[in-house]
Amino acid sequence: MPDCPICVCDANVLYPAQLRDFLMRLALGEVFQAHWSERIHEEWTRNVHADYPDITWEDLQRIRELMNGALPRALVTGHEDRIEDLSLPDPSDRHVLAAAIDARADCIVTFNVRDFPAAELETWGIEATRPDELARGLFDQDPDAIVEVAATHRRSLTRPSKSPDEYLQLLGGCGLEETARLLRKYPGRI
């Protein structure tokens, strides 16, 4: 993985609020370049709204706008013509690969790695990786940067606030088990 990998975030990693926030903070810290498309935004917001109807469309739209505003080069556009020519086990995932190709991504960050077979991605020099694998690789490259992101993220949680141990449990619960284990080695800094 390159020093600052370019990654397209699949909708399933943007769906959990704490994971989305952690990934955004990693991207804002310039440890990796995050990308997504409007269709990816539509997918995760639609699913959040279906599962949490008390979260309004206006709230979800505001989150999308904040994400796009915070990382203005993250939104991938112009890739739609490529979608039909791509082949994946689930045709509904082709838009993610098309966005990754246009972003010149190194990887697609997803929980559904099996939906993006290596044989289909290697033509484009892209790999599928789980968020924990991405964070672990970034941790190996620059542990101080990841510890700082985690500490800032933990401090931002005020409803309710989280102790370092509670925060690491939260990370583990949103799919970052190995990352949480690595961060436990820095108890005074989280």
Side-chain angles (χ1 to χ4, degrees):
M1 191 175 301
D3 286 345
C4 187
I6 301 168
C7 305
V8 166
C9 297
D10 196 3
N12 59 43
V13 302
L14 297 176
Y15 172 93
Q18 297 307 332
L19 178 57
R20 180 177 60 248
D21 192 15
F22 187 75
L23 292 171
M24 284 294 298
R25 290 173 185 278
L26 289 175
L28 289 166
E30 300 180 355
V31 227
F32 88 106
Q33 292 181 39
H35 292 279
W36 48 74
S37 66
E38 284 299 341
R39 189 162 168 187
I40 291 169
H41 269 320
E42 289 166 11
E43 191 175 326
W44 76 261
T45 56
R46 181 181 63 247
N47 290 327
V48 167
H49 193 304
D51 292 343
Y52 302 95
D54 57 315
I55 300 176
T56 67
W57 281 113
E58 292 77 19
D59 289 340
L60 292 167
Q61 182 61 37
R62 187 177 63 79
I63 294 168
R64 287 169 63 160
E65 289 171 4
L66 287 170
M67 290 172 67
N68 290 339
L71 297 170
R73 291 189 288 229
L75 188 64
V76 179
T77 60
H79 61 284
E80 295 81 8
D81 291 345
R82 173 185 309 269
I83 295 171
E84 294 302 316
D85 297 331
L86 298 173
S87 175
L88 286 173
D90 182 348
S92 69
D93 289 324
R94 294 180 299 178
H95 71 97
V96 178
L97 177 56
I101 293 166
D102 275 22
R104 295 192 165 109
D106 301 300
C107 67
I108 295 169
V109 184
T110 183
F111 284 113
N112 299 329
V113 173
R114 71 183 179 287
D115 292 344
F116 297 94
E120 301 296 333
L121 301 185
E122 67 188 0
T123 302
W124 307 102
I126 299 170
E127 62 183 48
T129 188
R130 289 176 180 81
D132 204 22
E133 293 166 351
L134 172 69
R136 188 176 62 235
L138 296 171
F139 195 96
D140 290 344
Q141 290 175 8
D142 191 351
D144 289 332
I146 307 308
V147 169
E148 182 58 34
V149 164
T152 302
H153 186 212
R154 183 185 73 82
R155 287 191 303 269
S156 76
L157 302 174
T158 59
R159 294 183 186 178
S161 60
K162 303 281 185 206
S163 70
D165 189 55
E166 290 170 328
Y167 173 71
L168 295 174
Q169 289 176 15
L170 177 81
L171 285 185
C174 65
L176 297 173
E177 298 91 355
E178 181 64 18
T179 304
R181 188 188 67 73
L182 291 168
L183 288 168
R184 285 190 191 286
K185 297 176 182 179
Y186 301 83
R189 293 180 55 194
I190 301 297

